[in-house]
Amino acid sequence: MVKNVLIVDDDQEMLLALKSGFSKYQDTFSVITAEDGIAAVDKLKTNLISLVVTDLKMPRMDGFELLEHIMEYYPDIPVIVITGYSTPEMEKMAREMLSENINLKQE
């Protein structure tokens, strides 16, 4: 059974690169894309999603808000967070949000 992966990023080049990266696994994954958190919420409502890969910094609804939504309404969907604009504050916020649901490995 092919599983749906939702990739969320406002950078079209990044969306295409990530989608292309999944293309060699097309027998396993089908890629759905969204340009921000609001579009992602709509995709979550209308598709059975097995994995979300999301950027943090996006307009309208950022990755933190999307992560909160997923944790509340779709707690069984794993989420991979990516960002090109990491700051210590963003990292701390993400760790605090995620540590409520998973154990983070400290290196």
Side-chain angles (χ1 to χ4, degrees), residues 3-7 22 29-33 49-51 53:
K3 297 183 179 200
N4 291 323
V5 176
L6 175 59
I7 301 174
F22 274 96
F29 298 108
S30 174
V31 175
I32 298 169
T33 61
I49 303 295
S50 298
L51 172 67
V53 180

Side-chain angles (χ1 to χ4, degrees), residues 36-106:
D36 60 35
I38 291 174
V41 168
D42 290 339
K43 304 281 182 169
L44 285 162
K45 288 178 184 174
T46 58
N47 297 279
L48 181 60
I49 303 295
S50 298
L51 172 67
V52 174
V53 180
T54 184
D55 187 16
L56 288 178
K57 189 173 180 182
M58 298 177 290
R60 299 196 319 155
M61 175 190 266
D62 67 23
F64 289 110
E65 294 170 297
L66 177 59
L67 188 55
E68 285 180 18
H69 179 84
I70 292 169
M71 289 176 5
E72 182 175 346
Y73 295 102
Y74 307 94
D76 295 332
I77 299 176
V79 178
I80 297 172
V81 175
I82 59 173
T83 188
Y85 303 98
S86 182
T87 65
E89 293 81 22
M90 288 175 76
E91 184 177 331
K92 181 181 178 201
M93 239 169 89
R95 286 188 176 278
E96 287 173 356
M97 288 179 72
L98 292 172
S99 68
E100 294 173 7
N101 291 329
I102 61 170
N103 292 324
L104 294 175
K105 180 181 176 188
Q106 298 280 345

